[in-house]
Amino acid sequence: MKNIWKIALKELKSYFVSPIGYVVLSLFSVLSGWFFFNHAQRFNSLVTFYMMSRQPETLNQLNLNTFVIVPMFQELLMLLNVFLPAVTMRLIAEEKRQKTIELLFTSPLYTSEIILGKYLSVLLFLAMMLGLTAAYPVILFVYGRPGPEIIPIITGYAGLFMVGACIASVGLFASSITENQIVAFAVGLSLSLLFYIISMPAPAVGGIMGDILNYLSLKGQFNGLANAFIDTRVIVYYASFSFTWLFITHRVMEGFRVR
Amino acid sequence: MIRVNNLCKYYGDVAAVDHLSFTIEKGRILGFLGPNGAGKTTTMRMMSCFMPPSSGSVSINGMDIATQSIMVRKFIGYLPENPPLYTDMRVDEYLEFVAGIKGVQQDRIPKQAASVKARCGLDDVSRKLIGTLSKGYRQRVGIAQSIINDPEVLILDEPTIGLDPKQIAEIRTLIKSLAGERTVILSTHILPEVSLICDDILIINKGKMMFMDSMDNIRGKHDLEQLFLKYTYGGNAG
C-alpha cells in the first residue's frame, strides 16, 4: 500500500511539473463552464417565456436538475472521454521510452503496485477536475429559486467519477502497449469512445444482443445515476470494467518484462 | 556471493545468453567483457531481476532471483546502460523517490541521500532539474541511485560510457571505494579500466562464456587486449 502511494505521489507531482496538469485543468474548466453557461442561459429564457405566456403547469415542470445539471453532466462525460486519455497517455509509455521502467522493474515493487499507483494518481487528478466543476451547482444553489435537488447532483458526480475511473483504466492500458504517447492517446481515446457509443445500434439490433450492447455502454450506465437511480448492477459494471482493463494492463507489463 | 547456474535467455530462436555458469565471491569486482551484442546487458538484466531467465538460475546471497525476486531486489543496486532518470525531477527529489521505492526506511532517507550525494559529487547540483544536467552528472546521478539502498551487490552496465577522461577517472575511484563490502559486476569496453579496477575477468561471446580468471593470474602473464581478441574474435581481428 505504501509503495502504491509513493508511485501515485510521484505521478501526481509530475502532472504539475509539466504543463499537462495546468493545461488539462484549465481547458476542462473553460469548456465545462461554457456548457454550464449555455444551459443556464437557455433555462432562463424558457422560464421567462412560460411566465410571459402564462402557462403555470409547464412552468412547474421546469427545474434546474433536468434542464441544467443533467445535460451538463452528459457533456462533462464527453469531455472526460477526451481529456482523460491525455492525462493517462504518458503514464507507462514515457517510462518505457525514457527506460525508467528498468528502475521500477528492478526495485522491490510488484507490477500490480506500479499499475495501481499510477491508476490512483489519475483518480486523484480526476477528482480535482470534477472538484473544479462543483462551482456550477453551487451557483445554482445560491441563485436558483427554487434551487436544484441535491441527491441527483451527488449521485451524478459519483457516476462521473466512476465513468472517469473506467476511462482511466482504458487509458492506462493504452499507455502500456506503446512507447509513443500519441499512439497511447489515440488508442485510449478510441477505446473509451467506443465504449461510450457502443449502444448506438442497440435499438436496431434488439433482443438479447441489444440488451448486451446497452449494458456495455458507459453512457447508458450513467444516465440512471444522473437521475438519482442507484442500481447495484451499475456499480458492479463500473468496478468490473476498470478491474478488467487494469488486469490486462498487468498482463501486458509482465509480458513486456519477459520479452 | 553470486552463483550463476546454466543461465539461458532466448529471443525467439536466438540464444542471447547460452548456458552461462560462474561464481563471484563476496567483495570482488568482476569485469564483464565481450563485444557488442555478446549478451552482457541481457545477463545483467536477468541478474538485476529486470527480466526472468528462459532457463537456469541465479542466486544472490543464497536467494533465487526467480522465486525470491522481491527480496533479492532489496539487496541489489543496478545502473542500466541508459541511466533511468526522470528528467523533470530535481536531483534531491529523484534520489528521495528512488530511496523510497527501494525500501529504504523513511527516517533514514535524508541521511542516505546526503551520503550518496557527497560520494558521487552531486552536492552542487542537488536542486537542479535532471534534464538540465550534463552527461557526466547524469551518469553520477545514475550511480547515486544504484547505491542509495546500500546494496550488497552492485551491477553497473557500462558506467563510464560517454564520459571524458577526467570523469572516467573519478567514476573509477568511486567504484573502487564502493567495493570492499559490496560485490560489484561491471561491464565495459575500456580494457585499461578493467585492469585498474577489477579483481576478476569474465569474457563472453555470443552468449557463451569464453574465459574467466582472476586479475592476479593474468597480470604479467597475458596482455588483456590479446586475451580479449583471442576469445572474442579468434585472435585475428584488428
Side-chain angles (χ1 to χ4, degrees):
Chain A
M1 193 60 219
K2 250 181 167 172
N3 287 333
I4 296 176
W5 181 241
K6 283 170 198 160
I7 300 281
L9 205 62
K10 173 213 142 213
E11 295 301 341
L12 212 52
K13 272 190 202 164
S14 96
Y15 292 138
F16 293 103
V17 171
S18 66
I20 186 151
Y22 303 101
V23 169
V24 169
L25 285 179
S26 52
L27 293 182
F28 182 74
S29 329
V30 169
L31 291 174
S32 58
W34 180 247
F35 285 130
F36 171 72
F37 169 74
N38 282 293
H39 287 302
Q41 153 68 26
R42 192 174 63 108
F43 182 76
N44 206 23
S45 329
L46 282 175
V47 170
T48 319
F49 175 76
Y50 286 115
M51 264 162 80
M52 303 265 280
S53 55
R54 296 175 201 286
Q55 297 183 30
E57 292 83 20
T58 323
L59 197 59
N60 283 338
Q61 281 170 9
L62 294 178
N63 67 73
L64 286 167
N65 285 86
T66 320
F67 284 83
V68 180
I69 290 179
V70 171
M72 186 183 79
F73 277 168
Q74 303 282 7
E75 279 142 5
L76 286 183
L77 201 61
M78 197 185 74
L79 288 182
L80 288 180
N81 240 313
V82 180
F83 278 102
L84 281 175
V87 176
T88 55
M89 65 181 186
R90 46 168 281 287
L91 285 174
I92 298 172
E94 189 65 3
E95 302 268 9
K96 283 187 182 178
R97 197 180 65 82
Q98 299 256 34
K99 314 275 186 219
T100 42
I101 194 93
E102 290 197 53
L103 171 67
L104 297 182
F105 274 173
T106 56
S107 297
L109 301 171
Y110 292 100
T111 307
S112 53
E113 290 176 324
I114 300 173
I115 293 170
L116 288 176
K118 287 175 181 284
Y119 186 56
L120 179 62
S121 78
V122 195
L123 295 189
L124 293 172
F125 191 81
L126 169 65
M128 282 182 226
M129 290 169 82
L130 294 179
L132 284 175
T133 67
Y136 313 132
V138 168
I139 291 173
L140 295 183
F141 277 115
V142 174
Y143 296 103
R145 295 286 178 276
E149 279 177 61
I150 192 155
I151 301 293
I153 297 181
I154 293 173
T155 56
Y157 267 114
L160 278 178
F161 185 80
M162 287 189 278
V163 181
C166 290
I167 300 171
S169 67
V170 172
L172 199 59
F173 160 76
S175 184
S176 75
I177 57 172
T178 174
E179 310 195 342
N180 186 316
Q181 295 191 34
I182 307 294
V183 173
F185 177 71
V187 172
L189 178 67
S190 313
L191 275 176
S192 67
L193 219 50
L194 179 71
F195 278 100
Y196 189 70
I197 56 172
I198 201 165
S199 61
M200 274 175 94
V205 175
I208 295 178
M209 199 58 205
D211 287 345
I212 292 175
L213 287 178
N214 269 328
Y215 184 73
L216 282 179
S217 167
L218 284 170
K219 187 182 166 190
Q221 300 289 344
F222 175 72
N223 287 343
L225 280 167
N227 291 301
F229 295 123
I230 301 169
D231 185 344
T232 41
R233 274 179 306 175
V234 173
I235 296 170
V236 169
Y237 169 78
Y238 288 139
S240 46
F241 187 98
S242 297
F243 178 81
T244 305
W245 286 105
L246 291 178
F247 180 76
I248 299 173
T249 310
H250 187 270
R251 301 313 303 166
V252 172
M253 295 271 278
E254 287 291 308
F256 173 74
R257 196 174 208 159
V258 174
R259 222 175 10 158
Chain B
M1 189 169 92
I2 303 170
R3 203 187 292 274
V4 176
N5 192 13
N6 271 323
L7 190 68
C8 295
K9 181 76 193 180
Y10 299 99
Y11 294 115
D13 289 338
V14 184
V17 175
D18 196 358
H19 295 92
L20 211 55
S21 299
F22 59 90
T23 324
I24 312 167
E25 296 299 328
K26 190 180 175 195
R28 307 280 285 184
I29 305 182
L30 173 82
F32 198 20
L33 308 178
N36 285 325
K40 297 188 299 291
T41 298
T42 306
T43 306
M44 292 179 135
R45 281 181 160 178
M46 286 190 279
M47 296 174 86
S48 61
C49 305
F50 176 69
M51 48 165 68
S54 302
S55 67
S57 65
V58 178
S59 86
I60 290 176
N61 290 348
M63 288 176 292
D64 186 75
I65 56 151
T67 55
Q68 291 159 293
S69 181
I70 295 284
M71 277 292 275
V72 171
R73 289 183 226 172
K74 290 186 182 158
F75 299 101
I76 289 184
Y78 174 48
L79 173 67
E81 221 171 332
N82 305 293
L85 306 175
Y86 293 106
T87 45
D88 58 359
M89 281 190 186
R90 292 175 199 286
V91 174
D92 270 345
E93 220 178 340
Y94 174 73
L95 292 177
E96 200 180 300
F97 170 70
V98 178
I101 60 168
K102 292 266 180 184
V104 178
Q105 274 172 2
Q106 204 63 38
D107 50 333
R108 284 186 54 232
I109 289 178
K111 208 177 133 225
Q112 199 64 21
S115 114
V116 299
K117 269 193 294 177
R119 260 198 139 137
C120 302
L122 291 170
D123 283 322
D124 298 340
V125 295
S126 56
R127 294 289 304 149
K128 281 203 172 153
L129 283 176
I130 293 176
T132 64
L133 296 180
S134 68
K135 180 138 178 76
Y137 270 117
R138 287 184 189 210
Q139 201 68 24
R140 288 197 223 179
V141 178
I143 294 177
Q145 68 76 26
S146 72
I147 57 174
I148 193 133
N149 55 337
D150 230 341
E152 292 174 28
V153 172
L154 193 54
I155 301 171
L156 306 172
D157 198 348
E158 307 206 15
T160 53
I161 195 166
L163 300 183
D164 69 36
K166 180 167 170 286
Q167 290 167 331
I168 292 178
E170 282 170 4
I171 300 267
R172 190 193 303 140
T173 321
L174 179 64
I175 293 171
K176 267 275 189 204
S177 76
L178 291 174
E181 280 301 288
R182 296 182 181 82
T183 310
V184 182
I185 301 165
L186 166 92
S187 86
T188 179
H189 286 305
I190 308 170
L191 296 176
E193 188 178 298
V194 174
S195 46
L196 282 171
I197 320 181
C198 299
D199 304 314
D200 295 298
I201 305 293
L202 170 64
I203 300 177
I204 69 168
N205 191 22
K206 292 178 184 151
K208 289 193 176 64
M209 183 163 115
M210 306 306 284
F211 175 85
M212 187 171 182
D213 207 344
S214 78
M215 204 58 217
D216 292 336
N217 287 343
I218 298 168
R219 238 175 237 123
K221 286 185 218 154
H222 305 283
D223 178 52
L224 199 53
E225 193 171 356
Q226 293 288 319
L227 216 53
F228 181 81
L229 292 176
K230 178 177 160 198
Y231 285 108
T232 54
Y233 295 94
N236 48 19

